[in-house]
Amino acid sequence: MSKENCTAILDFLLVAFPNQPVHQISLFLAICLVYITILAGNLLILVAIWVDTHLYTPMYFFLGTLSVVELCYTSSIIPQILETSLQEVKSITFRNCCAQMFLFIGLGSCDCFLLAIMAYDRCMAICKPLRYTLIMTQQLCIQLVATAVLSGFMVSLTLVWLVFHLPFCDGHDIEHFFCDVPPVLQLTSKKTKLEEVGVFLTAMMAIVVPFVLICISYLFIAVAILQIRSVDSRQKAISTCSSHLTMVALQYGCCSFMYLQPSSSFSPMQDQILSMVYTLGTPLLNPIIYSLRNREVKSALRNLIP
């Protein structure tokens, strides 16, 4: 069968969902509750930043952008999961699967690049405090965000092309809740080592490159903090970075396990768990981390919620 015929007739079946109606309803309610919490938490952060003029700084501009990206990121996946969980035939078309992966990977990559930008922002604030406002101008902040979004979707476009240009003749059962790269890649036939390396290198562009930039930024931050003599000033500098470091650890921990491993070591159950943690846990915990560990955000939220 030709490559075109293999893909043209294909509808994927998402087989990770439970078969029993009681379990399906329980899954629907659990995911729905988490999704509503994610929407509420990130929207609260956005409204707090919008209303409180004290938060009109580059740091909170990037935080607000991160919240927007994560709202879009979860909304590209969760509504489909909720709908599919209650359907008798849990299927998704080839085109919808392709579009879903493009949005999911693109927005997830934007997350990684934004975390690198936020690390650079903290580096400038701590290492060059007197020149900070001159360096981190509004124009530069917008350019950095635009670069993050463009880079994220360029990585996604490349990755999706590498996966979906292959023929799908070996099966159509995706052992997952949505169209993620590892389980879809398992279904491709005539997959070569060159294409596996291409997928791996593309994933590295979205994960390793931003992570290296974050490490470099924090190397400069560590040197600058060690040179601060005042204990209070040193603790304040560390506290401004603690929330960001927690987010980085959560984001890159899941990403590395999911995408930086050879396809031969693919484990459906492990991938499903990590994907749900990554898809639901990170957007859920980010606003909680920033609201609990950031004095200015807590103050803005207290003023917002009587």
Side-chain angles (χ1 to χ4, degrees):
M1 189 181 290
S2 69
K3 170 181 166 180
E4 289 78 8
N5 287 338
C6 286
T7 56
I9 61 173
L10 193 62
D11 272 3
F12 293 111
L13 290 178
L14 301 166
V15 298
F17 291 93
N19 295 321
Q20 295 82 0
V22 175
H23 294 163
Q24 290 176 0
I25 294 172
S26 299
L27 179 68
F28 175 88
L29 292 175
I31 294 177
C32 191
L33 179 61
V34 175
Y35 183 48
I36 291 170
T37 308
I38 289 171
L39 294 178
N42 283 283
L43 285 173
L44 271 175
I45 293 289
L46 283 172
V47 173
I49 293 172
W50 180 269
V51 170
D52 195 331
T53 55
H54 295 97
L55 302 183
Y56 286 12
T57 63
M59 175 181 176
Y60 296 106
F61 171 72
F62 295 133
L63 177 59
T65 304
L66 186 68
S67 291
V68 170
V69 169
E70 292 195 335
L71 284 171
C72 297
Y73 168 76
T74 52
S75 297
S76 69
I77 295 294
I78 304 304
Q80 176 268 320
I81 293 178
L82 292 174
E83 180 184 0
T84 307
S85 67
L86 298 179
Q87 291 177 346
E88 185 175 349
V89 179
K90 296 168 175 41
S91 64
I92 184 170
T93 65
F94 180 85
R95 288 184 179 181
N96 287 345
C97 186
C98 185
Q100 186 183 72
M101 186 184 293
F102 173 72
L103 290 173
F104 175 72
I105 298 297
L107 292 164
S109 300
C110 289
D111 253 0
C112 294
F113 287 115
L114 280 171
L115 288 174
I117 291 171
M118 293 171 77
Y120 173 74
D121 172 66
R122 290 298 84 208
C123 181
M124 291 299 102
I126 293 171
C127 299
K128 299 182 179 180
L130 299 179
R131 298 185 57 201
Y132 175 69
T133 55
L134 297 176
I135 296 172
M136 299 302 296
T137 61
Q138 183 180 21
Q139 182 180 3
L140 178 62
C141 292
I142 294 172
Q143 288 173 347
L144 288 172
V145 168
T147 302
V149 173
L150 181 62
S151 301
F153 280 102
M154 285 298 294
V155 167
S156 177
L157 184 64
T158 305
L159 191 58
V160 169
W161 181 83
L162 284 170
V163 173
F164 283 96
H165 90 284
L166 296 167
F168 289 84
C169 301
D170 293 345
H172 61 287
D173 291 354
I174 300 177
E175 296 189 52
H176 213 305
F177 299 100
F178 58 92
C179 291
D180 200 3
V181 175
V184 173
L185 200 59
Q186 293 298 310
L187 303 181
T188 59
S189 56
K190 300 180 182 178
K191 180 172 53 182
T192 66
K193 274 291 180 185
L194 181 63
E195 285 154 341
E196 285 191 19
V197 170
V199 170
F200 180 80
L201 291 177
T202 307
M204 282 188 66
M205 287 295 296
I207 299 171
V208 177
V209 171
F211 185 71
V212 169
L213 294 175
I214 290 170
C215 291
I216 293 172
S217 296
Y218 274 103
L219 180 62
F220 284 105
I221 289 171
V223 172
I225 289 175
L226 289 174
Q227 293 174 349
I228 299 174
R229 294 183 179 180
S230 170
V231 176
D232 291 338
S233 298
R234 187 180 296 178
Q235 288 178 345
K236 184 178 179 181
I238 293 173
S239 67
T240 61
C241 301
S242 59
S243 299
H244 180 260
L245 281 171
T246 306
M247 292 165 60
V248 168
L250 182 63
Q251 179 95 351
Y252 284 93
C254 291
C255 283
S256 299
F257 277 110
M258 286 168 57
Y259 300 114
L260 298 183
Q261 61 176 334
S263 60
S264 58
S265 62
F266 172 76
S267 168
M269 183 60 68
Q270 174 185 294
D271 189 67
Q272 290 164 22
I273 294 171
L274 284 174
S275 291
M276 295 307 286
V277 170
Y278 178 64
T279 307
L280 297 173
T282 307
L284 176 67
L285 291 177
N286 281 355
I288 296 173
I289 290 167
Y290 259 96
S291 61
L292 291 179
R293 306 191 70 171
N294 189 293
R295 201 173 298 170
E296 292 176 313
V297 173
K298 282 195 288 187
S299 176
L301 289 172
R302 277 197 296 266
N303 293 333
L304 189 65
I305 305 172

